[in-house]
Amino acid sequence: MTQSLAAVVLCAGKGTRMKSDRAKVLHPILGRPLAWYPITSAYELGAQQVVAVVGHQADDVKNALTAGFPGQALQFAVQATQRGTGDAVSAARGALTGFSGAVLVLYGDVPLLTVETLKRLIAAYDPSKGPLAMISCRLADPTGYGRVLRGAGHKVEGIVEHKDATAEQKLIAEVNAGIYVVDSKFLWGALEKLTPQNAQGELYLTDIVSQAARVGTVAVIEAPAEETAGVNDRAELAERAEIIRARINLRHMRAGVSLVHPASTFIDAGVEIGPETTIGPNVSIQGECEIGANATIGQGSVLVHTTVGDGAEVKPYSVTDEAVIGPRCHVGPFARLRPGTVLEEGVHVGNFVETKKARLRKGTKAGHLAYLGDADIGPGCNIGAGTITCNYDGVSKHETVLGAGVFIGSDTQLVAPVRIGDGAFIGAGSTITQDVPAGALSISRTPQTIKEGWAERRRKVLAGLKQD
Ligand code: UD1
Ligand code: CA
């Protein structure tokens, strides 16, 4: 195809059967709104302009889709009342003023069409033979769909909607997928000629097919039924999501990522994973995650907006959110990294350690049972089991700052704001409320006392009480 390409993506429908306060095209599949998938395909096909036609909850749809395509000049056209698919495409005309070439029409609620199939459609489109190419598919149960009408020589003559079809036409198994490539000049002219003289009183986009058949040959490619299926309710949303999930998993495996159990692995659409990384069963990687090479994500872990460096190991059942895990770190099992956590290279965060707004510098270890919040912890520190940064005084949050090579004994409370200098030692069981200078030992527990023979005396007292 030598012509330039624009895409119109129909997203105005209400989606009544979703039974939702949220517009249908914003329901998520693997971390992206439903309409993100067809729009992404349009960009992958090289469309110079992409216009989303919005109507129902127009502002929410615009905001969400704009956010979904940073750096792209995604355009919007508003179809205030939904008077049919033909009316919806007409709404995009203003946004495409000055454009001349091929217009690809996609539906915002049809997420499975592959770029390969759309390329076949574009390849079949030949404006020297006819102004329109379309996708059809064969369904065992074509109920509800528009049927493809073919005449002499198997030539396409038009589409009849299910509600307008005769009993005989309803037997046709070849249905209209609703996806077309149309010459822009022909399109705008054909749309002007639409009338709502049909069973639904709508302006049917499908009526441009018979107009195209009158001026040329309508090119048709057949697509697998799986790809053309739309989303009408939440059960269908889940079915389509399942296929997208499997496609995403396959793409990562083909790129050198090992998925131990793909059937239970959930990787969102925007996630990047380096080669030789292994993802265990029941792992969920959500949002904007970037996982390096040679990393391991253990069974049952949930990673949200998290960066994992090369060679890092996240052991089973760890939960992370807005966290950065540096190269060759060891995290978990059962670690909880909350927003603002940054683990520099080679940090070890073990079981039942919770971090929040905390930077653990190179090589620091917090092996077990700790809460580190609003903390800047120097390189090479050792954080004993049971260490707690007391960061909240009931009104505001305060910071704990540790220098390099600090040793915090087990069961220590660091009452913020507090600073511990380089190489300082804190004795186990201390409650630290004052800054500790570099190289010092600070210990705050009560001195230990020993009472010789106390246990025997107690036993006798208790025995005497019993005899009374
Ligand atoms: C349409 C086709 C039908 C085809 C089927 C495939 C028409 C008249 N019929 O029927 O031949 O078999 O798709 O799925 O085109 N939309 C708007 N504004 C409107 C109406 C619809 O934006 O005024 C959007 C919807 O949100 C949806 C898409 O267009 O994304 C398709 O609309 P829908 O009502 O589902 O069309 P069908 O009746 O299924
Ligand atoms: Ca539909």
Side-chain angles (χ1 to χ4, degrees):
M1 194 194 63
T2 50
Q3 270 189 308
S4 47
L5 183 73
V8 174
V9 187
L10 305 190
C11 299
K14 186 163 188 288
T16 311
R17 279 178 282 164
M18 297 298 282
K19 306 225 167 94
S20 177
D21 294 335
R22 182 162 24 175
K24 175 163 73 175
V25 292
L26 295 189
H27 278 259
I29 291 183
L30 277 311
R32 298 281 194 247
L34 181 48
W36 181 87
Y37 292 91
I39 295 172
T40 297
S41 299
Y43 281 121
E44 282 182 27
L45 289 162
Q48 292 108 308
Q49 280 183 268
V50 179
V51 184
V53 177
V54 298
H56 187 69
Q57 295 188 6
D59 290 335
D60 290 347
V61 176
K62 271 189 207 177
N63 291 339
L65 294 181
T66 301
F69 294 93
Q72 301 273 29
L74 180 62
Q75 292 172 272
F76 295 95
V78 177
Q79 184 198 22
T81 42
Q82 273 99 70
R83 298 191 294 140
T85 48
D87 179 56
V89 174
S90 295
R93 186 172 180 174
L96 292 175
T97 303
F99 173 84
S100 107
V103 178
L104 171 66
V105 177
L106 298 171
Y107 290 170
D109 59 0
V110 176
L112 298 180
L113 265 174
T114 59
V115 168
E116 290 67 41
T117 296
L118 292 170
K119 277 185 182 159
R120 276 206 291 133
L121 173 68
I122 291 167
Y125 169 71
D126 181 352
S128 71
K129 296 201 177 109
L132 184 142
M134 58 175 282
I135 299 182
S136 76
C137 59
R138 277 168 205 284
L139 299 181
D141 178 13
T143 308
Y145 287 85
R147 309 297 205 284
V148 179
L149 303 177
R150 290 183 185 264
H154 207 53
K155 277 192 168 229
V156 172
E157 292 183 337
I159 309 287
V160 62
E161 288 304 289
H162 182 87
K163 285 182 180 153
D164 299 287
T166 63
E168 200 184 334
Q169 288 168 332
K170 281 183 180 144
L171 297 174
I172 298 170
E174 189 185 10
V175 305
N176 169 32
I179 309 297
Y180 322 84
V181 175
V182 200
D183 173 68
S184 59
K185 198 156 166 281
F186 166 82
L187 176 64
W188 309 130
L191 289 174
E192 280 171 8
K193 291 181 202 135
L194 297 182
T195 60
Q197 265 68 65
N198 52 56
Q200 301 182 81
E202 290 183 0
L203 296 171
Y204 287 167
L205 180 60
T206 42
D207 288 347
I208 70 170
V209 177
S210 55
Q211 293 190 51
R214 284 197 285 276
V215 297
T217 302
V218 173
V220 184
I221 65 143
E222 209 175 301
E226 173 193 282
E227 288 192 27
T228 60
V231 170
N232 292 302
D233 59 27
R234 294 181 199 238
E236 289 178 356
L237 182 77
E239 283 175 36
R240 311 300 171 250
E242 191 52 22
I243 291 169
I244 291 178
R245 193 178 67 78
R247 285 184 187 171
I248 291 172
N249 286 349
L250 189 64
R251 170 165 64 80
H252 288 297
M253 289 187 281
R254 294 245 160 94
V257 178
S258 286
L259 304 187
V260 175
H261 190 236
S264 68
T265 304
F266 291 76
I267 302 173
D268 273 5
V271 172
E272 287 170 36
I273 308 177
E276 303 284 8
T277 284
T278 300
I279 313 282
N282 277 304
V283 166
S284 183
I285 305 178
Q286 303 169 14
E288 308 308 308
C289 284
E290 213 177 297
I291 317 283
N294 294 297
T296 305
I297 311 297
Q299 175 162 341
S301 291
V302 178
L303 276 57
V304 182
H305 305 311
T306 295
T307 300
V308 178
D310 293 346
E313 185 178 8
V314 176
K315 291 182 183 157
Y317 302 104
S318 296
V319 177
T320 71
D321 188 6
E322 289 177 38
V324 176
I325 297 169
R328 289 164 288 284
C329 282
H330 292 266
V331 171
F334 301 102
R336 168 127 197 254
L337 309 184
R338 291 170 52 204
T341 295
V342 178
L343 309 183
E344 292 186 358
E345 183 173 355
V347 162
H348 171 60
V349 167
N351 42 215
F352 309 110
V353 172
E354 174 184 347
T355 61
K356 185 219 72 170
K357 264 197 197 164
R359 176 178 286 270
L360 276 62
R361 293 178 192 267
K362 198 170 172 181
T364 278
K365 294 184 167 68
H368 357 244
L369 299 157
Y371 171 61
L372 305 171
D374 300 286
D376 185 342
I377 298 175
C381 289
N382 200 304
I383 310 295
T387 296
I388 292 172
T389 54
C390 308
N391 57 329
Y392 187 51
D393 59 13
V395 181
S396 6
K397 301 281 172 68
H398 301 283
E399 205 191 8
T400 300
V401 180
L402 271 60
V406 171
F407 181 95
I408 307 285
S410 294
D411 192 26
T412 291
Q413 299 92 54
L414 300 163
V415 182
V418 70
R419 305 175 83 87
I420 316 289
D422 292 349
F425 277 74
I426 306 297
S430 293
T431 301
I432 300 298
T433 56
Q434 295 167 43
D435 290 355
V436 177
L441 165 70
S442 183
I443 188 162
S444 77
R445 60 184 184 239
T446 46
Q448 185 173 356
T449 55
I450 293 175
K451 300 188 176 175
E452 294 279 1
W454 182 91
E456 177 64 10
R457 289 199 297 280
R458 175 175 175 273
R459 196 181 55 74
K460 281 182 181 157
V461 169
L462 288 179
L465 284 175
K466 239 191 201 162
Q467 274 164 17
D468 289 345

